[in-house]
Each structure stands twice: as structure tokens, then as C-alpha cells.
Amino acid sequence: MIASTQLYIFMGAALALLLVPGPAVLYITARSANQGRLAGLVSVLAIETANFAQAVAATLGLSAILLSSALAFDVVKYLGAAYLIYLGIHKLLVREEGAENGPIQPESLSRIYWQGLVVNLLNPKTALFFFAFLPQFVDPSRGNVTTQTLLLGALFVGMAIVTDSLYALLASSLAEKLRGSRHFQKGQRYFAGLVYVGLGITTALTGSKK
């Protein structure tokens, strides 16, 4: 259905975008460094579940409803920013409390999954990305536009699972080597918390959809 040349161009463009660390990669690496390989991979699954949902929404035209309203766009954006900042502050406070009362119980994998899912679902820039990016590689003369768009979205998410997982494995491996360092133990949760807060502030300051 999709011409092979067009498909190769899409995959090249997608790979170039995925290899450049963005907010999702920062979130995944922070989670991986803080709680290990499995937590990082669960975060990848959560982020990409949300990405696929956003791709489906863009395919069905649901994203257009959000992107057509500056108010709706800002409401979702600020909810996402507030949630990220909340996660960051919570991480910083829990780390400080744990230093006094002993080891901190790691967050459950289900909680990690739902946090990552909510973080990415509340990012309207992800909806905007799929809404703008996928149609560029759709050729109406090659068949059903909806099917082509959905296939491209699924392919993008599949590629993202691979690249994001590599980032998660790299971050968790580096963290594992440093885990014996007292300074690293002291700073890893600060790193994760500050990354979340920073991502939340960046999200909040992102320009509104006009």
C-alpha cells in the first residue's frame, strides 16, 4: 500500500528524530538511572503506549479537536506540566526523607507504568507531532489514507520502542556501575526529581497552539 521508497524515507526521518534525545528520552533515562533497568523498560512501554494512542487519535482526526482549541490545548498542557512537577517534587522530598529513615521502597512497576502513560497522554505536543508528521508520508493514490496513517504511526512507535529501550539500558547500566558510590546514591534521586521538574517547566513554557 505504501511505496517502498516513501517507506524508506519515512523510516530515515523517524530514526533521525528518535536518535536525538528529547523529553521522553530524558524521562526514561532519569527513571532508569533512579530505579534500574526494569523500571526504565516499563517506562518505555508506558511512553510508547501513549504514543500509539496519540497516533491513533491523529489518524482518526481526534487530535484536530484538541489542536483547534487554544484553551483545550493549554488546559492539557498545564495539566501535564503540573503532573511532571508534582512527580519531581515528590521524588525530591521522598529522597530527603529516606536519607533519615533508611532505604526507600522502590515504586511498583504498575505505578511507574501509569505515571509514564499519564505524562505522555497529557503532552499535547505529542498529538501535534503525529498530526503534522504522519500525513507528510501518506499518498492518497496508494489506498486508504486512514490505514496508511495508522500503519506509519505503528511503525514509528515500533522504532521508538527499540531506540528508547537502548537509552533505558544504557542509563541503567551506567547507573549500576556507579551504584556503589556514596555520592551517586546521594544524587540519583535529585537527578530524577530535577529532570521531572525541568520537563514540567519546559512543558508549561511551551508556546500555546494558536
Side-chain angles (χ1 to χ4, degrees):
M1 182 177 291
I2 302 175
S4 57
T5 302
Q6 192 76 348
L7 190 61
Y8 294 147
I9 294 173
F10 171 80
M11 292 177 67
L15 184 61
L17 291 170
L18 290 170
L19 290 178
V20 178
V25 170
L26 287 176
Y27 177 86
I28 290 166
T29 53
R31 179 67 80 178
S32 301
N34 180 234
Q35 199 170 319
R37 180 178 293 107
L38 189 54
L41 293 176
V42 169
S43 294
V44 171
L45 180 61
I47 293 294
E48 298 312 328
T49 301
N51 275 344
F52 186 69
Q54 297 273 29
V56 171
T59 299
L60 299 178
L62 300 178
S63 298
I65 300 174
L66 170 66
L67 300 174
S68 65
S69 169
L71 177 60
F73 186 90
D74 284 345
V75 167
V76 173
K77 179 182 72 173
Y78 288 124
L79 283 174
Y83 187 62
L84 276 166
I85 292 172
Y86 160 76
L87 290 179
I89 292 175
H90 181 264
K91 179 68 66 177
L92 294 171
L93 293 179
V94 167
R95 186 240 168 268
E96 184 176 349
E97 180 181 330
E100 298 175 357
N101 300 328
I104 301 170
Q105 290 296 321
E107 293 182 76
S108 68
L109 295 179
S110 61
R111 181 180 178 85
I112 290 172
Y113 176 83
W114 287 110
Q115 285 180 350
L117 183 68
V118 171
V119 162
N120 215 33
L121 284 177
L122 291 178
N123 183 0
K125 288 299 182 182
T126 304
L128 178 59
F129 168 77
F130 283 113
F131 186 76
F133 182 68
L134 297 180
Q136 297 181 51
F137 302 91
V138 171
D139 184 355
S141 68
R142 304 279 308 181
N144 186 276
V145 170
T146 299
T147 302
Q148 289 185 62
T149 307
L150 187 58
L151 287 173
L152 291 173
L155 179 58
F156 183 92
V157 170
M159 294 175 65
I161 290 174
V162 175
T163 56
D164 287 352
S165 294
L166 290 175
Y167 278 113
L169 293 173
L170 177 61
S172 60
S173 296
L174 290 174
E176 189 64 32
K177 292 180 180 179
L178 296 171
R179 208 167 294 282
S181 167
R182 182 170 299 181
H183 292 295
F184 178 77
Q185 290 282 5
K186 184 177 181 180
Q188 62 175 333
R189 284 190 174 84
Y190 277 126
F191 169 72
L194 290 174
V195 166
Y196 299 159
V197 171
L199 289 175
I201 293 173
T202 300
T203 299
L205 294 178
T206 300
S208 301
K209 173 68 180 170
K210 301 299 184 181

